[in-house]
Amino acid sequence: VRSQHQWLATDRLQFGANLDYVRELTNTTELLDAGAQNQIANRTTLNVQPSITFTLNEQTSVNASYAHQDVSFDSTANGQLVNFVFQQFSMGGTHFLTSNLRLFATGFASEFETPDIGGRTRTYGGQSGAGYQFTQDFSVEGAIGYVKSDIQFETRFLAIDPGPPPRIVLVTQQE
């Protein structure tokens, strides 16, 4: 089930929302000594993406959006498939210098998390650039940007705790 909604609240203010629920099969293939092994797992995806656009004047507009994606598998296909959550917030703006030349800038922050295995990546970035519309069917766009990611994950291993009493424990180490 996929849905896309837009509401023009005023001449200058527009709200939008994409809401999706997808249930599908995914296939993974692993090459083994004896040949290829195919595994199939059910995947459920939930997407939520609200947005807002505000037009300041005829030449300038600003926008913001939030994206949330939650993907889970009924079976992890022997550890090859991992449930994850992705979130991103972005803000940007566009300004038309002429009817053919526009300038734009966008910034974002996102997080990709794998709760089952303790992984997380936070990414920050932005870009700015310009676009030129030569004809109705042909345009050129160029941009320059910067992206920075911080990656964290957990390593899990078994260790012997001398006790008393001695026992085997699962140790989780943040890296």
Side-chain angles (χ1 to χ4, degrees), residues 59-87:
Q59 292 85 22
T60 307
S61 66
V62 293
N63 59 66
S65 69
Y66 170 75
H68 176 89
Q69 182 179 50
D70 191 340
V71 176
S72 60
F73 296 91
D74 289 352
S75 127
T76 60
N78 294 332
Q80 295 174 349
L81 303 173
V82 178
N83 300 338
F84 67 87
V85 176
F86 175 77
Q87 300 181 80

Side-chain angles (χ1 to χ4, degrees), residues 7-8 17 24 30-31 43-45 50 55-56 58 62 89-90 128-129 153 155 158 160-161:
W7 177 46
L8 190 58
E24 60 193 344
E30 179 181 11
L31 294 177
R43 174 174 51 200
T44 302
T45 304
T55 304
L56 299 172
E58 290 181 8
V62 293
F89 178 74
S90 63
S128 61
F153 60 93
T155 301
L158 295 176
I160 296 177
D161 181 4

